[in-house]
Amino acid sequence: MRNIDKIVNDMAKARGAVVVDSVICKGCGLCVEACPTNTLQLAAEVNDKGYNYSYMAAPELCIGCANCGAVCPDSCIAVYRAKA
Amino acid sequence: MIDTVNPIIAPENLIYAKSEVLLDNIMHYCPGCSHGVVNKLIAEVIEDMGIQQTTIGIAPVGCAVFAYNYLDIDWQEASHGRAPAVATGVKRLLPDTFVFSYQGDGDLAAIGTAETIHACNRGENIVMVFVNNGIYGMTGGQMAPTTLPGMQSSTCPFGREASRDGHPLKITELLAQLPGTSYVTRQAVHTAASVRKTKKALRLAFENQKLNKGTSVIEVVATCSSGWKMTPVQANKWMEENMFAYYPLGDMKNE
């Protein structure tokens, strides 16, 4: 039980950041759906191909869980995580 | 949009990035296509196992026909449905390599049913990755053997009717009956958790090939948002509500 508390505590302390390659992103929105903290949103602007690419709308909320990277079909997401 | 101000974005904090086995070519798949995730997972498994130099993929005909443009391994293109037969030849000539076929439902469960069933029945020591989206995606969303009852497609616009069009083919269940298969499972890639499970299944399949255990079949229930005429997020929801009822997830055989 203590172990679980520790994991939860560590997760709460983690700060994350997501870098989306906006040139490759096709704006499918699966990362936005997979994000547990609503960090990601689709941009109002479009990239060269006309897609509303994904970006970190609320960088302070990111916990670096990498769910967005896991579901990204175009492998255009890199995730960083550091202890807060 | 690289944020140079954010101190977290530093090489030592990187926890997830594109696999090195994936090439830089932009995938031709539609936005939100499950193929991209499955291609990526295969690349990650190959990278994790360190078998990039000894893996040979057999590309199908269908949406995944250009798979050889995305993974930096050796590939052989097969004619429509014949990937298990080509994989048989490659594996028998080069038994020390890792051989996998990558097929869709139109390829594996329709035109290639004979090759699929006989390769599994012979227990060929290969991995078969089967991406099932219930439709012929590449040619414009026609009815496939795996199309669900009542599901609309361009060749059954009022829904598939069993009395006229036959029943959806659960080929993975069929393959699990054959003594040649060692690992038969059905997975999905619609959530982060299911993506991680599918990666584990793929890893187990490649490990089985190392141990000469026989054929491993990994079915991935997938979406075709273009063919289904939905957004990618809607397609995932539709898949959860409809596809999983007919194609339940889980291991069918693990010997």
Side-chain angles (χ1 to χ4, degrees), chain A residues 28-35 67-68 70-73, chain B residues 31-35 37-38 132-133 148 187-195 220-226 228-245 249:
Chain A
C28 67
L30 293 181
C31 55
V32 176
E33 191 74 8
C35 180
N67 279 3
C68 50
V71 299
C72 177
Chain B
C33 179
S34 306
H35 272 302
V37 185
V38 183
N132 177 9
N133 56 16
L148 298 178
Q187 302 292 337
V189 291
H190 62 305
T191 61
S194 64
V195 167
V220 181
V221 184
T223 62
C224 178
S225 39
S226 299
W228 296 357
K229 316 260 184 278
M230 297 175 194
T231 67
V233 175
Q234 282 172 345
N236 273 345
K237 287 216 174 75
W238 193 89
M239 176 174 74
E240 274 180 56
E241 286 160 12
N242 299 282
M243 296 281 277
F244 292 170
L249 305 186

Side-chain angles (χ1 to χ4, degrees), chain B residues 20-235:
Chain B
E20 301 204 336
V21 177
L22 278 178
L23 293 162
D24 286 335
N25 298 330
I26 296 179
M27 291 185 174
H28 74 286
Y29 303 123
C30 307
C33 179
S34 306
H35 272 302
V37 185
V38 183
N39 285 8
K40 172 178 78 173
L41 290 178
I42 294 172
E44 286 176 2
V45 168
I46 289 170
E47 188 184 357
D48 292 350
M49 290 179 72
I51 55 172
Q52 188 177 6
Q53 298 299 323
T54 50
T55 304
I56 301 173
I58 313 296
V61 171
C63 286
V65 67
F66 294 129
Y68 48 74
N69 284 338
Y70 306 136
L71 267 72
D72 192 9
I73 55 170
D74 287 333
W75 284 94
Q76 173 65 52
E77 177 66 52
S79 26
H80 203 355
R82 274 62 191 171
V86 175
T88 300
V90 172
K91 184 67 185 180
R92 288 193 177 199
L93 278 169
L94 304 166
D96 294 334
T97 55
F98 290 87
V99 179
F100 72 94
S101 71
Y102 184 102
Q103 301 173 267
D105 47 326
D107 197 74
L108 183 142
I111 193 168
T113 311
E115 281 76 6
T116 303
I117 287 180
H118 285 291
C120 289
N121 197 36
R122 290 192 304 267
E124 297 296 342
N125 194 24
I126 55 173
V127 176
M128 290 167 67
V129 182
F130 168 34
V131 180
N132 177 9
N133 56 16
I135 210 167
Y136 283 92
M138 186 183 76
T139 48
Q142 290 86 358
M143 178 168 54
T146 47
T147 302
L148 298 178
M151 181 176 170
Q152 294 172 345
S153 75
S154 59
T155 46
C156 54
F158 304 108
R160 180 177 188 158
E161 204 182 298
S163 60
R164 184 188 57 211
D165 309 319
H167 300 275
L169 182 58
K170 293 185 178 182
I171 193 155
T172 311
E173 272 88 344
L174 274 174
L175 299 177
Q177 307 298 316
L178 301 173
T181 51
S182 73
Y183 180 47
V184 181
T185 186
R186 183 182 284 126
Q187 302 292 337
V189 291
H190 62 305
T191 61
S194 64
V195 167
R196 292 181 180 120
K197 274 176 92 174
T198 305
K199 186 175 171 185
K200 276 192 192 141
L202 284 165
R203 175 75 189 241
L204 180 60
F206 277 90
E207 298 282 0
N208 282 349
Q209 186 169 159
K210 202 192 271 178
L211 302 171
N212 294 319
K213 279 180 139 183
T215 317
S216 298
V217 182
I218 315 285
E219 175 177 348
V220 181
V221 184
T223 62
C224 178
S225 39
S226 299
W228 296 357
K229 316 260 184 278
M230 297 175 194
T231 67
V233 175
Q234 282 172 345

